[in-house]
Amino acid sequence: MGEEPLVRWDWIGRNWPTIQELLLDHMIMALVPVVLGLLIALPLGLAGARWRVLYQPTVSLMNVVYSLPSLAVFIVLIPITGLAERATVIVPLTFYSLAVLIPAVVDGLAAVPGHVRQSAVAMGFGPTRRLLQVELPIAVPVVLAGLRVATVSSISLVSVGALIGRGGLGYLFIDGWQRQFPTPIVVGIALVVVLAVFADGLLVLAQRLLTPWARARRTT
Amino acid sequence: MNWLLDFFGNSANWSGSSGIPVRVLEHVEFSLAALMLATLIALPLGLLIGHTRRGALLVVVAANAARALPTLGLVVLIVLLVGVGTTWPVLIPLVALAVPPILVNTYEGVRGVDEDLRDAAYGMGLRGRQVLLRALVPVALPLILLGLRIAAIQVVATATVAAYVGLGGLGRFIIDGLATKDYPSTIGGAVLVAVLALLVQAGFSLLQRVAVSPGVSQRAKAR
């Protein structure tokens, strides 16, 4: 590498508008799959928790999805969604999110203690109210643990999309490699990690807000 | 389907230094190396933290941050800094990828073992290390194996990225195929990686059946 420093700070200043654009693009491509994944995983997870027969096949299918390399799935999707379209990245990442979130929802609901469920029934809660007011809140920590993994992996995986022309911050890796210039690569890695840690922190905060009883128990 | 026939039916793809058997072997070789390194780091650490319950928060936070590291970025950065030629630098991103699931699952597995069981083991006269190895590890084994399986699959799937900087492995079919618009090769490579990942999946299912004590797996079934 010779005299080239690891980071040229002036490059960052000059390219800041581009970096911001890539960051926004990255956030959209990483977060849309997680939100979609959660919206789809909730009903599927509920169904899996209620009818256990459904659960095993769903998990096996999701395991298969999870074993497919992201790059390979991106490429297989190109003829359908078109090269360099956001959907080419969003669709596979949604499936990866599902693979993490469906088991999380089912395990979360399974973690509701039997006596809690019985108390709710005894208090006259119907199935829907019991689900919304008792079971789902108790399942929140397990579901959120899954959501944290899904979010962080999604943010990290988007960058692979750069190999097919759609990768948000991943573009900086390709750019840096092609010009044999480390600054964009370092900036890209740093921003991806910062974005992931930030999103993870928000989810931890959400968990505290959604499960106030956990904190109350700790202080008593 | 025609593309698959073009790729797998072409005898030229099956021989030589860039043929399918050589690429598969390369892929397996550095996936295994990365997985073994990651296991050497994460397994003892996870056992220690799960058993002593010290430093758990720090490790879980660090593991989650490591999950965020973009493999493609690390690979290009490392190769740019140290040059091509040796394979070991490329192992670093793959190890970083494999450590979090092994570490977190081992830790959660050991920590999650029933308190009564832990007490019973101490009551029977086992000491610290014996309790860990004879009572906690067998019970935590399903979770530990799950962590290893997730790590292995992620490594096999992600090792494709290393081809971008000119290293071998199945990613070569994908990346070179993309670069030259040779789509049969791209799809063929993708299929090979998926098959390899599914084989890993199946291998771990088998291992689980053989290694997990029947008492533990029955208990898991009953739940």
Side-chain angles (χ1 to χ4, degrees):
Chain A
M1 290 303 308
E3 299 300 300
E4 181 63 37
L6 190 59
V7 179
R8 280 185 182 276
W9 297 101
D10 57 315
W11 181 90
I12 300 176
R14 270 183 286 116
N15 292 279
W16 190 240
T18 320
I19 296 173
Q20 267 181 323
E21 239 169 76
L22 292 172
L23 185 65
L24 185 69
D25 203 27
H26 199 103
M27 281 163 66
I28 294 171
M29 282 189 290
L31 298 182
V32 170
V34 179
V35 173
L36 282 179
L38 186 64
L39 289 179
I40 303 171
L42 274 175
L44 289 183
L46 285 176
R50 192 133 300 175
W51 300 288
R52 298 299 287 198
V53 222
L54 288 179
Y55 181 52
Q56 213 40 55
T58 321
V59 167
S60 308
L61 182 70
M62 285 299 139
N63 270 338
V64 174
V65 170
Y66 202 69
S67 15
L68 303 172
S70 51
L71 181 56
V73 185
F74 291 159
I75 289 161
V76 174
L77 272 178
I78 291 174
I80 306 167
T81 55
L83 190 65
E85 290 293 334
R86 276 189 188 141
T88 318
V89 174
I90 288 175
V91 173
L93 291 186
T94 303
F95 278 99
Y96 290 126
S97 300
L98 276 180
V100 178
L101 289 174
I102 292 177
V105 173
V106 175
D107 292 346
L109 290 175
V112 177
H115 61 263
V116 170
R117 199 169 280 141
Q118 282 165 9
S119 316
V121 175
M123 285 173 72
F125 279 45
T128 316
R129 225 176 121 211
R130 198 179 75 212
L131 177 72
L132 292 178
Q133 297 191 349
V134 179
E135 294 179 345
L136 277 180
I138 292 179
V140 159
V142 183
V143 175
L144 265 174
L147 202 61
R148 287 174 63 190
V149 172
T151 306
V152 172
S153 328
S154 183
I155 289 173
S156 161
L157 271 175
V158 166
S159 45
V160 176
L163 293 174
I164 54 153
R166 250 301 179 196
L169 294 165
Y171 168 77
L172 296 172
F173 305 152
I174 306 291
D175 184 46
W177 173 252
Q178 281 170 350
R179 293 193 282 142
Q180 298 284 296
F181 174 42
T183 304
I185 305 175
V186 175
V187 171
I189 295 175
L191 285 178
V192 168
V193 174
V194 166
L195 191 60
V197 170
F198 181 69
D200 197 39
L202 281 184
L203 286 173
V204 172
L205 200 69
Q207 175 162 357
R208 294 190 120 222
L209 294 176
L210 286 171
T211 58
W213 57 86
R215 231 175 330 154
R217 196 165 41 202
R218 222 174 295 143
T219 49
T220 48
Chain B
M1 276 298 130
N2 276 337
W3 281 357
L4 287 181
L5 279 180
D6 282 352
F7 179 71
F8 290 106
N10 187 348
S11 58
N13 282 336
W14 288 95
S15 57
S17 63
S18 57
I20 293 169
V22 176
R23 291 297 187 214
V24 170
L25 211 64
E26 285 170 345
H27 203 94
V28 170
E29 211 173 291
F30 59 65
S31 298
L32 257 183
L35 195 66
M36 274 159 61
L37 272 174
T39 308
L40 280 179
I41 298 168
L43 196 63
L45 201 61
L47 290 177
L48 190 76
I49 296 163
H51 191 40
T52 62
R53 303 176 180 208
R54 286 204 190 123
L57 184 71
L58 185 75
V59 167
V60 173
V61 169
N64 235 4
R67 239 188 260 274
L69 284 172
T71 311
L72 177 64
L74 282 189
V75 167
V76 291
L77 182 65
I78 288 170
V79 175
L80 199 59
L81 295 181
V82 302
V84 211
T86 47
T87 336
W88 69 264
V90 183
L91 288 180
I92 298 172
L94 292 180
V95 172
L97 188 75
V99 162
I102 302 177
L103 182 64
V104 172
N105 274 43
T106 305
Y107 155 72
E108 294 281 2
V110 173
R111 196 197 56 147
V113 174
D114 207 330
E115 284 297 325
D116 294 347
L117 199 145
R118 193 187 280 255
D119 291 345
Y122 278 110
M124 285 172 69
L126 297 185
R127 297 180 186 267
R129 185 196 294 253
Q130 290 172 317
V131 171
L132 177 66
L133 294 180
R134 292 203 202 154
L136 304 188
V137 169
V139 176
L141 200 57
L143 258 184
I144 297 175
L145 284 177
L146 178 69
L148 282 169
R149 186 176 81 185
I150 294 174
I153 287 167
Q154 284 187 342
V155 166
V156 166
T158 314
T160 43
V161 168
Y164 183 68
V165 291
L167 284 144
L170 292 169
R172 285 307 286 273
F173 294 121
I174 301 177
I175 306 250
D176 295 352
L178 260 186
T180 57
K181 298 213 184 311
D182 176 7
Y183 291 116
S185 161
T186 304
I187 305 280
V191 169
L192 283 172
V193 179
V195 169
L196 198 59
L198 289 176
L199 284 178
V200 170
Q201 188 97 257
F204 270 97
S205 302
L206 207 68
L207 186 64
Q208 175 122 15
R209 203 158 291 174
V210 178
V212 174
S213 127
V216 173
S217 45
Q218 256 166 27
R219 208 181 54 128
K221 221 180 287 163
R223 262 196 303 182

